[in-house]
Amino acid sequence: MKTLKFAHNLVEKVLDGSKTVTWRLFDDKDLSVGDRLQCSTSDTGNGFAEAEIVAVQEKKLGEIEGADFVGHEKYADQEEMLETYRGYYGDSVDRDTVVKIIEFKLLN
């Protein structure tokens, strides 16, 4: 089972069903439809749910549009989005960086 880590402030959103999409850059886990996931908090590593990937799409960050935010947290503008992902992945993140848009459903 593959593990996906979520920031502490997103855990409740995953559990209450308002977050059903996660965006991942530089996917080293080869995440794909049908994969079962252990969801854990990024700060403690504690597991809080199991999920299954139901859809995957790839785009450049600069191509993200309104529909891509359904089930995902929103940003004030594209610069805030880029700064958020630079915080997770480093300064090399820009509008041309490919993002994997992963839709998942909770299993428990």
Side-chain angles (χ1 to χ4, degrees):
M1 185 177 304
K2 297 176 183 180
T3 299
L4 281 186
K5 294 181 180 178
F6 291 88
H8 183 73
N9 63 312
L10 299 175
V11 171
E12 192 60 39
K13 293 177 184 292
V14 171
L15 291 173
D16 71 15
S18 60
K19 181 170 178 61
T20 58
V21 172
T22 187
W23 299 350
R24 301 296 162 131
L25 283 54
F26 315 115
D27 177 22
D28 61 349
K29 295 180 174 93
D30 191 30
L31 298 166
S32 57
V33 172
D35 284 350
R36 291 181 61 112
L37 308 169
Q38 174 66 48
C39 301
S40 64
T41 57
S42 57
D43 55 349
T44 67
N46 292 336
F48 64 86
E50 289 185 13
E52 181 179 341
I53 296 176
V54 296
V56 175
Q57 179 182 4
E58 289 187 2
K59 285 187 168 188
K60 292 181 180 180
L61 280 171
E63 298 171 346
I64 294 293
E65 55 193 12
D68 298 317
F69 288 98
V70 174
H72 193 274
E73 58 276 14
K74 314 277 188 288
Y75 302 100
D77 55 30
Q78 192 170 67
E79 191 55 38
E80 180 187 22
M81 177 183 70
L82 290 172
E83 285 303 315
T84 298
Y85 284 90
R86 286 177 185 136
Y88 294 142
Y89 296 101
D91 291 337
S92 64
V93 173
D94 63 23
R95 293 174 43 82
D96 290 326
T97 302
V98 174
V99 58
K100 199 172 243 191
I101 302 168
I102 301 164
E103 183 179 353
F104 58 90
K105 66 176 181 180
L106 291 183
L107 297 175
N108 54 357

